[in-house]
Amino acid sequence: MSQRKSILVNCGILLLPVLSVLIVFAVGEIGFRLYQRQAAGIPFRSSLGQDEWNSAWPLVLDDTLGWRARAGYQDFREVTEATSKGIKYPIKRSQKEYGFRMFGDLRSTRPKVLVIGDSFTQALQVSDNDTYYALLKDALGVEVFAYGAGGYGTLQEYMILDQYVDMIKPTLILWQFCANDFINNDPALETVSLVNNNGWRRPYWVDGHIVYVLPKAWSASFRIFAQQHSRLLHFLLSRWDRLLAIDPAQTVEVQIEREGLTHQGFQHAVQVTSELMGKVRSRVGGIPIVAFSSSGGEPYDSAFKTISSPNGVVFLQDIAKAVEAAHKRGDDVLHADMGHWNVAGHRLIGSRIGEHLRAMIPSVSQIQSRDTEGMTPPSR
């Protein structure tokens, strides 16, 4: 055998395992896409960055926001969820214009409340009419515009506010904080978090500028490739992340809760979050902002209180504590995931927030009297 043929044979032997892996992976990708098309109606060629990627998935990737709530999403049949005590209940969900879970009447003369938050406001655990803000709408007689997206940080929420506040012209803004906001507002903290890191590229506020980072130390480029081109890889990476989160003893949140406000990374995240809430205040001028946290405990409550006061935000400290107290009493207020609220939890939250807002929202006659004469409300 000539030297040239020998080299070719050796190269072929070396490449054979690689080619075998590629073939197996290609077959797996095709099979996975065919299964998703059959089981969920997902088009074979679509990707996570396209609206048609999955009509049953309420989020879609977005170049500017990182991801967003899908406009027009709805359950075409009842979905069964369960409480933390295993009691099953049917729900039916939808997302309206621009991905809002509730989008009121822009032409109404009633006071308008703009609600912004993360997964607790997206509220996929309950039906449309059982969300805490749907209850506020009925109890207070207001128009509600509610936008939430799972995993959102404060910058993403600000970007939603910036995009829609002039259209809605709210009378009051209700801002839903969450303890994981601090992690999601700091790429360094999110990179070392095992429980508050969804492995998606998102915008961060860094040194007064927006930067985009996928907060995974070793696999950022690989994950971006998977999200854009391979559903199978994306699925496997997501399951790997869930596996790591089963025993989160080494995650950064444990250190933060142990060290409290003295944790340097947490201090930086608090500063960034305060800057972002300052941007919110500057953007909306004198519109009242009321905030509450969906999850209590220290050092988060103290940090939210510190952030709210200088930015003219009224922080309701008793909301998360009400749910925690109800759960400790044995009331069934949590979803089966032991974090989000079920129908009873949303009722409790809506009732507590309503008690605070009732005295803060002006009457319809007050709203009408301060409108400019002859002003035409924006068309829907």
Side-chain angles (χ1 to χ4, degrees):
M1 181 181 298
S2 68
Q3 184 178 5
R4 183 177 179 182
K5 288 184 178 181
S6 177
I7 292 174
L8 291 174
V9 170
N10 290 333
C11 288
I13 293 173
L14 292 173
L15 289 174
L16 185 59
V18 177
L19 291 174
S20 299
V21 170
L22 291 175
I23 291 171
V24 170
F25 176 78
V27 171
E29 180 74 21
I30 293 171
F32 192 65
R33 287 175 179 250
L34 289 173
Y35 165 77
Q36 290 186 323
R37 186 177 68 177
Q38 179 66 27
I42 305 172
F44 183 84
R45 292 175 177 268
S46 65
S47 69
L48 276 74
Q50 299 173 313
D51 280 337
E52 67 271 19
W53 140 250
N54 185 352
S55 59
W57 198 49
L59 298 173
V60 63
L61 296 183
D62 185 274
D63 289 340
T64 302
L65 293 164
W67 60 93
R68 55 181 164 82
R70 179 195 303 281
Y73 160 80
Q74 62 178 317
D75 292 322
F76 292 98
R77 56 181 176 79
E78 284 189 343
V79 176
T80 300
E81 295 289 344
T83 72
S84 60
K85 294 188 176 182
I87 299 175
K88 295 183 178 180
Y89 59 96
I91 66 171
K92 203 166 185 179
R93 307 158 297 191
S94 65
Q95 289 172 178
K96 311 299 190 298
E97 292 97 321
Y98 316 109
F100 279 67
R101 186 74 197 273
M102 178 173 286
F103 198 86
D105 184 359
L106 290 172
R107 300 181 64 88
S108 173
T109 58
R110 300 200 299 177
K112 298 180 178 66
V113 176
L114 172 58
V115 186
I116 294 180
D118 57 18
S119 60
F120 286 86
T121 296
Q122 191 173 22
L124 297 176
Q125 297 75 27
V126 297
S127 296
D128 295 352
N129 294 332
D130 290 321
T131 59
Y132 71 87
Y133 39 85
L135 301 173
L136 289 175
K137 174 188 175 184
D138 295 337
L140 302 178
V142 296
E143 292 293 330
V144 171
F145 303 79
Y147 189 104
Y152 259 22
T154 308
L155 176 57
Q156 290 162 301
E157 292 163 354
Y158 167 77
M159 294 165 81
I160 291 296
L161 172 90
D162 183 51
Q163 187 170 358
Y164 297 108
V165 67
D166 293 332
M167 175 196 299
I168 295 170
K169 296 181 174 61
T171 310
L172 179 142
I173 295 167
L174 181 61
W175 200 280
Q176 177 246 306
F177 287 136
C178 187
N180 60 19
D181 287 345
F182 300 106
I183 304 298
N184 301 142
N185 291 342
D186 189 299
L189 289 182
E190 188 163 7
T191 298
V192 292
S193 172
L194 299 178
V195 296
N196 291 307
N197 185 336
N198 63 13
W200 296 348
R201 172 182 173 272
R202 79 157 85 228
Y204 297 91
W205 187 250
V206 179
D207 297 328
H209 297 87
I210 295 176
V211 299
Y212 287 85
V213 178
L214 195 155
K216 292 290 184 179
W218 61 270
S219 60
S221 298
F222 186 57
R223 288 172 182 268
I224 290 174
F225 172 84
Q227 291 168 6
Q228 293 177 344
H229 303 291
S230 175
R231 294 191 213 159
L232 179 60
L233 273 179
H234 174 71
F235 173 81
L236 294 174
L237 288 168
S238 299
R239 293 305 179 272
W240 172 251
D241 290 340
R242 292 186 184 182
L243 182 63
L244 292 177
I246 291 176
D247 183 18
Q250 301 303 315
T251 192
V252 69
E253 288 83 353
V254 175
Q255 301 172 25
I256 290 173
E257 290 168 15
R258 182 173 60 246
E259 298 178 24
L261 295 173
T262 64
H263 188 284
Q264 290 187 352
F266 185 69
Q267 289 178 359
H268 180 262
V270 172
Q271 177 186 343
V272 170
T273 306
S274 183
E275 289 179 16
L276 290 169
M277 292 310 296
K279 286 176 66 65
V280 171
R281 169 50 69 200
S282 296
R283 181 66 176 87
V284 304
I287 298 174
I289 304 173
V290 177
F292 71 98
S293 178
S294 57
S295 52
E298 294 295 343
Y300 310 111
D301 285 348
S302 294
F304 283 131
K305 184 178 179 181
T306 300
I307 288 168
S308 298
S309 181
N311 293 306
V313 177
V314 177
F315 179 54
L316 309 180
Q317 300 183 64
D318 62 332
I319 304 303
K321 292 178 181 178
V323 176
E324 182 180 355
H327 178 63
K328 287 182 177 179
R329 287 195 306 268
D331 297 345
D332 197 4
V333 294
L334 297 181
H335 181 259
D337 63 15
M338 295 302 294
H340 295 92
W341 311 311
N342 60 26
V343 175
H346 274 268
R347 287 175 183 165
L348 176 58
I349 293 294
S351 175
R352 284 299 182 94
I353 295 176
E355 292 173 4
H356 289 283
L357 296 190
R358 188 165 283 108
M360 301 179 66
I361 298 178
S363 66
V364 174
S365 60
Q366 289 174 308
I367 295 295
Q368 291 173 331
S369 66
R370 77 184 187 194
D371 281 344
T372 301
E373 184 175 354
M375 178 181 289
T376 302
S379 58
R380 191 163 179 175

